[in-house]
Amino acid sequence: MTRGGRGSFALLADGRRAEVPAHPATVVDTVGAGDAYMSGLLAALHQHHLMGADRRGDLRAIDEPTVTAILAFAARVAAITVGRAGANLPHLKEVAPVS
């Protein structure tokens, strides 16, 4: 769940909560912030080989450090986007790699 300036969190299968703060940003325009976050989330899931129906078991078993890294990556993507006018998402090379 994204919460704007209050960061985001995800619930793990065992009920634990992984949480990250919002990445610092000077806000120019919030258009596209949610799409940017979701794009970053999907890119990070892909980088961790957690995309696709055959990976559902791995996704259910994801550990807290991995979820936190994925959320932090998505937050960086959104922060870069809101620092620009328009829905101008960053290229992957502009965002630090997923841990």
Side-chain angles (χ1 to χ4, degrees):
M1 172 178 276
T2 60
R3 300 173 299 160
R6 295 182 296 141
S8 59
F9 70 90
L11 297 177
L12 281 71
D14 64 6
R16 287 180 299 139
R17 182 172 161 154
E19 189 166 353
V20 297
H23 193 76
T26 300
V27 178
V28 173
D29 189 347
T30 60
V31 171
D35 292 336
Y37 186 94
M38 184 56 70
S39 296
L41 184 75
L42 291 172
L45 286 168
H46 176 72
Q47 289 177 7
H48 281 276
H49 307 288
L50 293 169
M51 296 288 289
D54 61 328
R55 305 307 258 169
R56 287 182 183 150
D58 295 330
L59 189 56
R60 276 191 290 278
I62 194 169
D63 61 25
E64 189 172 347
T66 302
V67 172
T68 300
I70 289 169
L71 296 177
F73 184 85
R76 288 193 303 276
V77 172
I80 292 169
T81 302
V82 300
R84 302 172 172 179
N88 186 3
L89 281 67
H91 292 276
L92 186 58
K93 65 184 176 188
E94 295 177 80
V95 186
V98 177
S99 301

